[in-house]
Amino acid sequence: MDFLYLALLSFAAGSLLPFPSEALLIPLILKGLSPWALVATASLANSLGALTNTILGRYLRRFSNRSWFYFSEGQILRAEDYFKRYGIACLLFTWLPVVGDPLCAVAGWLKLPFWPCLVYMAIGKLARYTLMTAGLIGLFAIF
């Protein structure tokens, strides 16, 4: 059940919902569950959540001028500028707070190819969870 909860929370954290997946990942590591299975679960689910943003970006573009639209015009323009400067590889940074969600949505907005988007997002998410988990394990090994 722990892995299912982590997957659901990580999916939500990767989508537009502001959930911190670390809030569950850290206690599960401390509980003694396999850190690398937890990393795989969180990375996969978080990538699928980000992919949801990409799909939403593709289909919700027509609502960008509405007051309830999630992203501001400034966020969208900054994300488009990142893609113009750095290309699809900027999706490696979708794990970052504030800019990550708009990057995913703009990837859909620009109708970038599905598989390369998923690969870059997954690499970024995997790197994030791997480094965080390795850091935690190293920190706990000291104490």
Side-chain angles (χ1 to χ4, degrees):
M1 247 1 218
D2 291 330
F3 285 94
L4 176 62
Y5 292 143
L6 179 62
L8 292 173
L9 187 60
S10 298
F11 178 86
S15 71
L16 297 176
L17 304 172
F19 288 106
S21 55
E22 298 82 7
L24 184 57
L25 179 66
I26 294 168
L28 292 178
I29 291 169
L30 293 174
K31 188 177 177 179
L33 297 176
S34 167
W36 307 117
L38 293 169
V39 165
T41 300
S43 299
L44 177 63
N46 200 260
S47 297
L48 292 175
L51 189 60
T52 301
N53 289 347
T54 304
I55 293 167
L56 288 173
R58 185 169 288 216
Y59 295 105
L60 295 179
R61 182 177 186 168
R62 64 179 170 224
F63 299 113
S64 64
N65 60 347
R66 306 282 171 87
S67 62
W68 52 262
F69 194 70
Y70 185 79
F71 301 112
S72 71
E73 186 66 25
Q75 287 177 307
I76 292 168
L77 291 173
R78 278 191 301 279
E80 285 179 347
D81 186 49
Y82 288 135
F83 281 105
K84 288 176 188 166
R85 272 195 266 165
Y86 306 111
I88 199 169
C90 67
L91 289 173
L92 291 169
F93 299 100
T94 58
W95 60 271
L96 290 170
V98 182
V99 297
D101 290 341
L103 283 174
C104 296
V106 171
W109 190 281
L110 297 174
K111 297 187 177 184
L112 297 177
F114 175 83
W115 289 109
C117 286
L118 180 59
V119 167
Y120 279 110
M121 287 187 285
I123 290 170
K125 306 286 188 172
L126 179 64
R128 169 190 177 209
Y129 285 110
T130 299
L131 290 172
M132 184 178 59
T133 300
L136 282 169
I137 291 170
L139 180 65
F140 293 126
I142 293 172
F143 297 105

